[in-house]
Amino acid sequence: QPVPRELRPDLDKALDHIIEQSRRVTFGADLDNPDLHDLDISFAEFIAPYTEQPFVAEYLTMWSAFAFGCHPSDNSALQVLTWVAGYDNAVWTLDDAPATKFAQGTASLVEALAADSGADIELSAPVASIADTGDHVEVTTSGGDAHTARFALLAAPVNTWQDIDLPIDADSLKARFAREGLAGHALKLHALVDNVPEFLMASGWGGPLCWTSEQANFDGGRLLVGIGEDDSAIDATDPAQVQQAIRQFAPEATVRICHGHNWTADPYAKGTWTTYRPGQLSRYYSDFAVPHGRLYFAGSDLARGWAGFMDGAIESGTDTAAVLSQRLRDDG
């Protein structure tokens, strides 16, 4: 159902506040600017003055949980405002902007990048340690294979850093950042469903899913994607559980098949897309791209702009590659 007309003024006040505060943020600029520290609080605290009306409280909670994959008490309002600033200070764009899809799937992009790079790629060879000897680095896999290079670039998710023996001090900013970890632990699933309205897009709070939307009409059914803030709420591969969750929005829905991946339990992810905890941007943002000796860092988790998106991974990789290329030239 649409937002009740009588509640729109209360919701608009909250959304206007989000837009107004997002104008303080320059997208891609330094987010640890002291002038922004008051925004690096939990989104729950940020919206608290506007949540007296239960509907508005539930809507804003859902909106944040859908976008960031955790309860709004766990994510930074500054990151939320950064996304809004990146969308030209429009709050509604978060609902429909991520709409472009690869015709052959994301794997086609990964394979094209790999082919274009000309790099030697080893699979099933997780890194156990990186050592900096002073004039080169030594990378050792969990299987005991060793690789030597002049420099190393770590692009693994921040939540996996503690599983690698890194040449950084335990009290360094990066080590502290890794110990805290990022907050995202979203539930995301796909389901082929019958008996749902055409072009369904629905959201709400109080169930395993806080948002669902039709992605395609497939084999006479509708392919839905669903997102929730807690990946332990249901088993995304269990049709009965997924059907019950979707019926929160479409009571007659019948699930044929469904699929999901628990990224939090995945040892090479340990979480979903980038979601900063309150205070992390103020404490660690300027250190994101700072190398430690011969070890450099990149990845969507460390992007200055679209952290959490492929755009952020490309941006961070491009920037770090330029810096490292110059270091290689200077190093002879």
Side-chain angles (χ1 to χ4, degrees), residues 121-244:
I121 299 175
E122 292 190 19
L123 302 179
S124 300
V127 171
S129 67
I130 302 174
D132 186 341
T133 68
D135 60 3
H136 68 276
V137 293
E138 296 177 354
V139 178
T140 305
T141 70
S142 59
D145 294 330
H147 303 268
T148 301
R150 292 165 64 188
F151 298 94
L153 172 59
L154 178 64
V158 167
N159 283 3
T160 68
W161 286 5
Q162 289 206 95
D163 297 332
I164 306 171
D165 184 8
L166 299 175
I168 58 178
D169 295 334
D171 61 349
S172 67
L173 291 176
K174 281 193 172 64
R176 288 159 54 188
F177 185 30
R179 283 195 296 272
E180 291 178 14
L182 298 171
H185 50 76
L187 164 71
K188 184 175 182 180
L189 59 85
H190 288 83
L192 186 60
V193 184
D194 296 311
N195 303 321
V196 297
E198 186 178 16
F199 306 126
L200 172 69
M201 186 173 80
S203 57
W205 188 247
L209 299 178
C210 56
W211 180 89
T212 188
S213 174
E214 179 181 334
Q215 303 296 294
N217 191 321
F218 182 77
D219 194 25
R222 305 199 181 279
L223 181 63
L224 303 184
V225 62
I227 294 177
E229 57 94 16
D230 181 4
D231 56 14
S232 66
I234 60 171
D235 179 354
T237 65
D238 184 328
Q241 293 186 43
V242 172
Q243 178 172 287
Q244 184 176 1

Side-chain angles (χ1 to χ4, degrees), residues 15-37:
L15 298 179
D16 287 346
H17 177 62
I18 292 171
I19 293 171
E20 177 186 4
Q21 294 303 306
S22 75
R23 297 188 189 282
R24 295 173 53 189
V25 180
T26 301
F27 186 77
D30 292 342
L31 294 179
D32 55 356
N33 184 328
D35 292 339
L36 300 177
H37 283 187

Side-chain angles (χ1 to χ4, degrees), residues 17 65 76 80 83 129 208 281 299 325:
H17 177 62
S76 168
V80 178
W83 281 23
S129 67
L281 288 168
S325 294

Side-chain angles (χ1 to χ4, degrees), residues 57-75:
E58 289 190 6
Y59 182 88
L60 294 174
T61 300
M62 172 281 301
W63 182 76
S64 173
F66 152 63
F68 294 93
C70 66
H71 191 275
S73 60
D74 293 328
N75 70 293

Side-chain angles (χ1 to χ4, degrees), residues 261-318:
H261 182 77
N262 190 322
W263 292 102
T264 304
D266 187 317
Y268 305 121
K270 292 195 167 182
T272 45
W273 56 92
T274 310
T275 299
Y276 300 114
R277 299 181 187 277
Q280 286 186 329
L281 288 168
S282 299
R283 292 191 295 271
Y284 306 126
Y285 184 80
S286 288
D287 189 60
F288 281 177
V290 176
H292 279 244
R294 291 181 172 270
L295 176 60
Y296 283 71
F297 299 83
S300 186
D301 288 348
L302 308 178
R304 294 181 63 83
W306 288 116
F309 292 82
M310 284 187 283
D311 309 57
I314 293 169
E315 169 221 309
S316 175
T318 300

